[in-house]
Amino acid sequence: MKDLAPKKLESDEEILILKRQLERQKSARKQAESILEEKSYELYQANQSLQELIAQLDKRVDERTQELTAAKNLSDKAAQDLEKSNKRFELVLAASEAGLWEINCETLEVRCSERLANMFHLPLKEVAEQLSNLSIFVGETRSEVKARLNKAMASETTVNLECEIAVGTGAARWFKLNARTHFDTNGKALWLAGAFIDINERVEIAVSAQHMATHDNLTNIANRALFNKKMEEALEASLRSSEVFSVIILDLNAFKEVNDEHGHQAGDQLLRHVANNILSVVKNTDTVARLGGDEFAIILRGIKTAAYVQAICEQIIHRCGKKITCNEAQVGTYISMGVATYPNDGATTSELIRNADLAMYHAKKNKISESAFHVFSHELVANIQQARAMRLAIKEGIEKQDFILHYQPKYNVETNRILGVEALIRWPRADGSYTPPDEFIPHAEEGGLINELSEWIINEGCKQAARWFRQGLEIPVAINLSPLQFTEQNLPDIFYDALRRNNLPGRMIGVEITENCVIEDLHRANHQLSMLRALGLEVSIDDFGTGYSSLSYLHQLPIQVIKIDRSFIGQVTDNPESATIADAIIKLSHSLGATVVAEGVETEEQLAWLKERKCEAAQGYYFSPALPPAKIPTLASVTFQASSKNSRQAG
Ligand code: C2E
Ligand code: CA
Ligand code: CA
């Protein structure tokens, strides 16, 4: 609005214009004022909103700040919790002694924890490398681990496996391996993570427990349980591959004596000696077991020839037979072995064992004071069956009183008169012949029937001597005793009872024992013989010269008569060696104060030879065979006439 100052009024028109201008100006101003007024209000209003907004914002900020503070506090706590939990986790890991590892399923790269490296005694890098190519796993474990890990990477299975690992110390140790794979949402395997735990100690304990359950404590060889298992294995292998295998049963011959004489420590040492020596002979694939006591068993696998098995047996005998020193004493043993071979000698393990056992008994029976082995044969079974039948028959014979005694006279070579008789048992057959005593006495001994039989012989012998005695005939009867009978505790009682029952003086009875009877236990023999002597019985050593013929024991025992075995007498006139032995026995007997009876005298020349050497008595077919008792009194009443041979036919 320029030039609004009042000017000098020129005209009405001018005034009018001016007025109009003024009017317009007024209105404009009014308008402006109104706009301003309007705008101010708007502004006010806007300001008002703004203020509100700011207040809201402030409030929001406050709220947010509060929220954030709360959130921050929360996250601090979470962090603390996490840390705590991590610490706990680490503690658990430390306590569990687990070593951690993971495999990237794509690259197969392995990462592992420091602890794992320590556990394996290897540098970290090497552990990772060896885990990656699985070379850290020993032997059979490796393929199993590989298969299980592959499976775990393909599915959500957990690996849980015991495995053997070659640790850096050079030894192999047992670990438990756990692992599981992490998959993404699409099912793609990302990584496989797991842990190793050292379980070596536990495995070792388990292994040693297993060892104890399957091995003999004393010798550390297999026990019966493991032996049975190995037999089954051998049989299965043979069924698959037609492999031939042998089983050997081995038994020590007089192990009890070793224990009794040298103590159990020596016995134990001897058992270990035997076990070790068998082990030294057989192959790794064979089995050596102690079945109990002094009984061992061996399984020989992959047999090609019978000669091989025999060679093994011979070596075992050779090595086991060597003496060992225990408490400064030399201790040794004889062994008996029986062999049975699959498939010829048995189709089942029990049959094979039974047959090897039979063969062993056969070996032992033949040679008790010598080591021996016997190979099973079906003939052996036949013999055993025969023996069993024989034992049954003997038992029945005793019950039915089928046995009888015959009596063979002994002559005084100077007077040619009977000085006594020897009772010899006879078992009549249906056809009138006799089963020879040599054929059934051993069976009676083995079958445990000898005591029963001997008791009958003693009673019968006493009864007969008493009959003669009552007739006024003093014919002493000598009774043969088997070694088994001789060791019987109540033997003197049996004689005492028999003498008393028959009212017979002891001098009318004699006993004939072999060297086998006394040699095993001199002390006991001495005791037994002294008791018999106290009853008045005469004691003869039978078959002298065939056994140990040891001079050392003879003078320690109360022996009155020595009988020279007929094997020497039969040859005295034509074999200088036999003559020398017989001569020596006569001299020895005389020096001990014993009288001599020559057995098996068959010729006049033999008798002449004996007479010349002052042998007191003779017995044999030259004089008379064993005769039924009824024939004896006649012979006893006369002097033997060399020309009259009737007596020879009499039996
Ligand atoms: P032994 O005790 O040596 O008995 C002597 C054996 O020689 C008897 O055989 C007898 O008949 C036989 N003999 C006798 N004179 C001669 C001879 O001039 N030449 C030959 N070649 N032989 C002769 P036997 O009766 O067969 O008895 C054999 C063995 O059986 C006996 O040998 C004895 O060991 C045992 N024995 C016999 N009877 C009994 C017995 O009652 N109890 C026991 N435990 N064993 C007996
Ligand atoms: Ca005899
Ligand atoms: Ca004899």
Side-chain angles (χ1 to χ4, degrees):
M1 273 191 278
K2 57 183 182 180
D3 230 3
L4 282 180
K7 286 183 195 169
K8 193 173 96 170
L9 295 177
E10 313 256 321
S11 64
D12 285 346
E13 200 173 316
E14 264 182 345
I15 290 169
L16 195 67
I17 292 170
L18 275 171
K19 266 185 173 176
R20 277 193 202 135
Q21 271 182 350
L22 192 63
E23 279 306 314
R24 274 201 304 267
Q25 278 171 2
K26 265 186 184 172
S27 132
R29 187 175 163 167
K30 231 178 186 167
Q31 211 175 345
E33 273 175 2
S34 127
I35 287 171
L36 192 67
E37 201 169 301
E38 220 169 87
K39 289 290 170 206
S40 297
Y41 181 71
E42 274 179 16
L43 205 64
Y44 166 78
Q45 268 192 328
N47 191 33
Q48 236 8 53
S49 308
L50 200 65
Q51 287 302 327
E52 260 171 43
L53 221 82
I54 286 169
Q56 272 177 15
L57 256 175
D58 279 352
K59 194 175 163 227
R60 189 77 196 97
V61 166
D62 274 357
E63 275 173 12
R64 189 70 193 126
T65 308
Q66 270 173 21
E67 268 175 28
L68 280 175
T69 314
K72 184 176 179 301
N73 287 346
L74 244 170
S75 88
D76 279 357
K77 188 165 178 303
Q80 276 170 13
D81 284 354
L82 190 66
E83 202 180 313
K84 265 191 212 160
S85 139
N86 276 345
K87 279 221 168 92
R88 271 211 300 273
F89 189 58
E90 271 167 26
L91 272 174
V92 170
L93 276 183
S96 80
E97 290 175 2
L100 306 179
W101 66 297
E102 61 178 44
I103 307 178
N104 183 318
C105 296
E106 210 165 319
T107 62
L108 293 187
E109 190 192 336
V110 173
R111 293 196 310 139
C112 54
S113 70
E114 197 82 43
R115 170 178 285 281
L116 187 65
N118 290 341
M119 279 163 64
F120 289 173
H121 298 278
L122 286 169
L124 255 178
K125 211 175 133 224
E126 206 161 315
V127 174
E129 208 174 286
Q130 289 196 34
L131 273 174
S132 171
N133 60 21
L134 303 181
S135 65
I136 204 157
F137 297 99
V138 173
E140 283 173 24
T141 331
R142 193 175 301 161
S143 50
E144 166 127 42
V145 171
K146 188 174 179 182
R148 298 283 289 273
L149 291 184
N150 283 341
K151 195 175 164 206
M153 284 192 216
S155 62
E156 277 193 14
T157 51
T158 306
V159 180
N160 198 337
L161 190 69
E162 294 186 353
C163 52
E164 220 179 348
I165 280 177
V167 296
T169 55
R173 283 184 81 84
W174 281 91
F175 289 86
K176 190 180 175 98
L177 159 61
N178 289 316
R180 205 181 158 91
T181 305
H182 181 75
F183 297 90
D184 69 7
T185 44
N186 298 324
K188 184 183 168 211
L190 298 178
W191 35 263
L192 176 141
F196 281 97
I197 296 168
D198 190 328
I199 54 162
N200 203 56
E201 209 168 316
R202 173 166 76 61
V203 171
E204 271 176 1
I205 289 170
V207 166
S208 88
Q210 171 74 4
H211 185 85
M212 272 162 68
T214 53
H215 285 74
D216 170 46
N217 229 350
L218 179 72
T219 57
N220 206 28
I221 58 176
N223 64 12
R224 188 182 282 275
L226 184 56
F227 167 74
N228 287 339
K229 192 168 157 257
K230 293 282 182 184
M231 278 295 284
E232 293 296 340
E233 281 175 20
L235 186 67
E236 273 167 34
S238 297
L239 288 171
R240 276 198 309 270
S241 65
S242 68
E243 175 198 321
V244 173
F245 71 95
S246 289
V247 55
I248 303 176
I249 299 291
L250 183 154
D251 199 273
L252 308 193
N253 283 10
F255 184 63
K256 190 181 170 296
E257 273 78 87
V258 174
N259 275 330
D260 290 350
E261 263 176 57
H262 302 280
H264 283 265
Q265 224 182 333
D268 288 354
Q269 206 175 321
L270 194 63
L271 290 173
R272 280 194 289 264
H273 163 76
V274 169
N276 290 338
N277 278 295
I278 301 172
L279 280 176
S280 75
V281 171
V282 303
K283 291 184 295 200
N284 286 349
T285 44
D286 298 336
T287 301
V288 180
R290 181 171 168 232
L291 302 184
D294 59 348
E295 194 183 10
F296 294 81
I298 304 154
I299 306 170
L300 301 178
R301 298 284 301 265
I303 301 298
K304 298 274 184 293
T305 64
Y308 170 78
V309 181
Q310 299 205 2
I312 293 278
C313 289
E314 276 156 16
Q315 277 187 59
I316 290 174
I317 286 177
H318 174 70
R319 295 200 191 173
C320 293
K322 285 184 182 157
K323 293 202 168 180
I324 55 166
T325 313
C326 301
N327 306 325
E328 291 167 4
Q330 290 286 101
V331 180
T333 183
Y334 294 116
I335 58 174
S336 301
M337 285 185 277
V339 185
T341 299
Y342 179 87
N344 281 353
D345 303 338
T348 62
T349 57
S350 55
E351 200 180 336
L352 285 166
I353 294 167
R354 195 178 61 231
N355 288 344
D357 215 36
L358 285 181
M360 188 277 288
Y361 273 106
H362 186 77
K364 184 175 284 218
K365 188 177 87 183
N366 288 350
K367 293 161 185 169
I368 189 86
S369 50
E370 202 179 303
S371 290
F373 69 92
H374 188 82
V375 178
F376 174 83
S377 65
H378 291 280
E379 203 186 330
L380 183 64
V381 178
N383 289 344
I384 287 163
Q385 277 162 353
Q386 222 177 318
R388 195 173 299 144
M390 177 64 101
R391 283 204 291 273
L392 281 174
I394 295 171
K395 210 170 153 69
E396 209 181 283
I398 296 172
E399 277 161 18
K400 288 164 63 184
Q401 306 223 346
D402 283 345
F403 295 95
I404 57 170
L405 290 182
H406 278 185
Y407 299 87
Q408 186 178 35
K410 299 177 196 174
Y411 279 86
N412 177 321
V413 297
E414 283 306 321
T415 62
N416 278 344
R417 303 281 300 200
I418 286 182
L419 46 77
V421 291
E422 174 180 2
L424 292 164
I425 193 163
R426 296 290 176 260
W427 192 9
R429 296 186 182 116
D431 65 359
S433 63
Y434 300 115
T435 305
D438 289 334
E439 272 178 34
F440 65 85
I441 297 269
H443 291 292
E445 286 177 339
E446 274 165 40
L449 296 164
I450 193 65
N451 288 345
E452 222 177 313
L453 192 59
S454 284
E455 226 175 297
W456 177 83
I457 296 165
I458 292 167
N459 276 314
E460 185 57 28
C462 287
K463 220 188 266 177
Q464 185 54 59
R467 262 181 228 130
W468 287 326
F469 192 66
R470 282 197 297 274
Q471 292 167 22
L473 295 168
E474 294 211 0
I475 307 171
V477 172
I479 289 166
N480 289 288
L481 293 179
S482 91
L484 284 171
Q485 168 72 17
F486 181 69
T487 50
E488 265 305 288
Q489 210 100 68
N490 64 345
L491 183 68
D493 294 340
I494 294 171
F495 275 104
Y496 176 79
D497 290 344
L499 290 172
R500 211 187 42 176
R501 233 190 339 262
N502 292 290
N503 204 10
L504 185 70
R507 66 187 158 82
M508 286 298 113
I509 294 295
V511 289
E512 295 192 6
I513 56 167
T514 57
E515 290 166 275
N516 295 344
C517 294
V518 295
I519 205 77
E520 298 238 310
D521 190 343
L522 258 184
H523 178 75
R524 193 196 173 107
N526 203 350
H527 174 77
Q528 200 83 315
L529 291 179
S530 302
M531 304 267 279
L532 297 178
R533 281 297 295 139
L535 293 174
L537 271 58
E538 184 182 71
V539 176
S540 304
I541 288 279
D542 207 355
D543 305 339
F544 194 80
T546 54
Y548 299 88
S549 304
S550 160
L551 307 182
S552 63
Y553 73 84
L554 272 184
H555 75 275
Q556 297 179 42
L557 298 170
I559 291 162
Q560 286 80 58
V561 180
I562 289 177
K563 296 183 78 175
I564 308 176
D565 190 73
R566 64 173 184 268
S567 60
F568 302 107
I569 303 303
Q571 302 189 354
V572 280
T573 50
D574 35 48
N575 182 335
E577 222 172 279
S578 294
T580 309
I581 294 170
D583 193 33
I585 293 174
I586 295 169
K587 288 194 175 114
L588 164 76
S589 307
H590 288 163
S591 74
L592 291 169
T595 58
V596 186
V597 177
E599 288 186 318
V601 176
E602 294 185 354
T603 67
E604 199 154 2
E605 292 73 33
Q606 289 163 358
L607 181 65
W609 188 95
L610 290 161
K611 265 180 163 174
E612 211 175 295
R613 282 159 185 82
K614 302 276 182 292
C615 171
E616 286 87 355
Q619 185 184 2
Y621 295 163
Y622 176 75
F623 295 100
S624 168
L627 299 169
K631 307 250 179 184
I632 299 297
T634 326
L635 291 181
S637 63
V638 297
T639 304
F640 175 77
Q641 297 294 318
S643 55
S644 103
K645 292 289 175 189
N646 296 347
S647 54
R648 289 185 67 179
Q649 278 98 50

